[in-house]
Amino acid sequence: MNNSLAALDERVSGCRACPRLVDWREEVARTKRAAFAEWTYWGRPVPGFGPPDASLLVIGLAPAAHGGNRTGRMFTGDRSGDVLYEALHEVGLASQPTSVSVDDGLTLYGVRITAPVHCAPPANKPTPEERDTCRPWLVSELKLLRPTLRAVVVLGAFGWQAALPAFAEAGWTVPRPRPAFSHGARITLESQSQSQSQSQSQSQSHSGSPANNPLELFGCFHVSQRNTFTRRLTPEMLRGVLRTAAEAAGLPTRPYAG
C-alpha cells in the first residue's frame, strides 16, 4: 500500500463509514443551494489540503455543507474559510487571501489544513461516534506528517477534544489530565519515542531523529460565523495565534500591513 499523503487523501475521499453523514453530504450535493445551482458538488469526504512536508497543521471541525462539501477543499467556499485564508495570507502562510475553488491557484507555505471529521455533518454537529470513526484518518495523517511537523493550531473545543487522542495514537504524549481548550492555550506534547529514549542511553542513534521532536499545540477559537460576527474571535486574535504557531514551526512570517 502507498503510504504517501496523496494516497491517504484518495482513501479518505472514498470513505462511506458513517451512514448518516453519507446520506447528508449526498443529499446536499443533489439539492444544492440556489446560489450554487450551476456547481457540481463534490459530495464526498474532504481530504486535507497543503504540502506533504508541512511543519504547521491547522485542524478545524468538519467541512461545511455548501463549502468544502461543494468545492472539495478544506475551508473553501464559505465565510469561515474567507476569514481563515485571509489571516493565513496576512501572516505570510498563503499565496492569496481567498479560497473559492480547487483550481483557484492557492498555495499554502509550510501549512496543511485538515479536520477530525471529513464529511459535512447535519447542523455542523458530528456525533461522538462519527468523530471516533473518523479518527484513524487523522492519526494516519499525523503519522505521515510527523517527520516535519512542529506545531498545530486547533480551531475550537470540538477539534481540540477530537485531536488529543489522535496525537496520543500518532506518537506524542498528551498530559494527564488532558489540557482544557482555551483560546491562546499552548501545550508542548513530547514525542513518546523521545521520552523513551531519554530514559535510556543518550548515545542511541534514534534519539536525535527529527520525527522525535516535540509538538507545540495551540488553541484558537473556531473561525465560525458565530465567533467572527460577534467578535469573540477577531482578525487580530486569529493572526496572533497563527503567527506564534508559525514561528514555533520555524516558518517565516511577515508583519501585518493593515
Side-chain angles (χ1 to χ4, degrees):
M1 180 180 292
N2 188 338
N3 288 324
S4 69
L5 266 176
L8 176 68
D9 291 344
E10 184 176 352
R11 296 197 298 275
V12 166
S13 299
C15 182
R16 300 181 65 85
C18 300
R20 187 183 79 115
L21 298 186
V22 171
D23 289 347
W24 173 251
R25 78 192 191 208
E26 294 181 354
E27 177 186 348
V28 170
R30 285 192 303 269
T31 59
K32 306 181 182 181
R33 178 176 283 172
F36 305 121
E38 301 303 315
W39 275 78
T40 299
Y41 274 52
W42 173 255
R44 292 188 280 160
V46 180
F49 169 58
D53 59 349
S55 56
L56 173 60
L57 183 66
V58 177
I59 299 177
L61 189 162
H66 300 281
N69 188 58
R70 171 172 60 91
T71 64
R73 190 166 75 191
M74 286 288 174
F75 283 104
T76 297
D78 59 35
R79 295 194 181 209
S80 294
D82 293 343
V83 172
L84 177 60
Y85 285 110
E86 182 176 12
L88 287 168
H89 179 257
E90 289 171 345
V91 173
L93 301 175
S95 63
Q96 61 192 43
T98 58
S99 180
V100 297
S101 66
V102 295
D103 58 357
D104 61 8
L106 174 65
T107 300
L108 297 181
Y109 303 135
V111 181
R112 184 171 170 89
I113 299 176
T114 193
V117 176
H118 286 275
C119 291
N124 292 321
K125 293 181 179 179
T127 66
E129 182 180 2
E130 290 162 350
R131 174 201 64 199
D132 295 345
T133 299
C134 210
R135 182 180 300 144
W137 294 125
L138 180 56
V139 173
S140 295
E141 192 168 11
L142 288 167
K143 287 180 177 179
L144 289 169
L145 289 169
R146 189 171 175 183
T148 58
L149 192 61
R150 298 293 177 267
V152 178
V153 173
V154 180
L155 302 174
F158 180 95
W160 184 271
Q161 293 166 0
L164 289 179
F167 292 133
E169 290 184 42
W172 286 278
T173 299
V174 176
R176 291 182 180 275
R178 288 180 178 175
F181 171 79
S182 65
H183 181 83
R186 179 172 183 172
I187 307 295
T188 300
L189 304 182
E190 297 292 342
S191 167
Q192 292 173 7
S193 54
Q194 181 70 14
S195 298
Q196 292 167 1
S197 69
Q198 287 173 348
S199 66
Q200 300 170 3
S201 172
Q202 293 185 358
S203 65
Q204 288 180 300
S205 60
H206 69 277
S207 63
S209 169
N212 291 337
N213 282 353
L215 191 66
E216 295 297 315
L217 175 62
F218 297 84
C220 179
F221 289 143
H222 197 277
V223 289
S224 65
Q225 291 184 55
R226 175 182 296 180
N227 285 340
T228 56
F229 284 0
T230 62
R231 295 189 65 80
R232 186 184 190 212
L233 177 67
T234 66
E236 294 79 11
M237 292 166 65
L238 178 57
R239 287 195 302 268
V241 173
L242 291 174
R243 179 172 286 108
T244 302
E247 291 169 353
L251 296 173
T253 61
R254 63 184 177 211
Y256 179 49

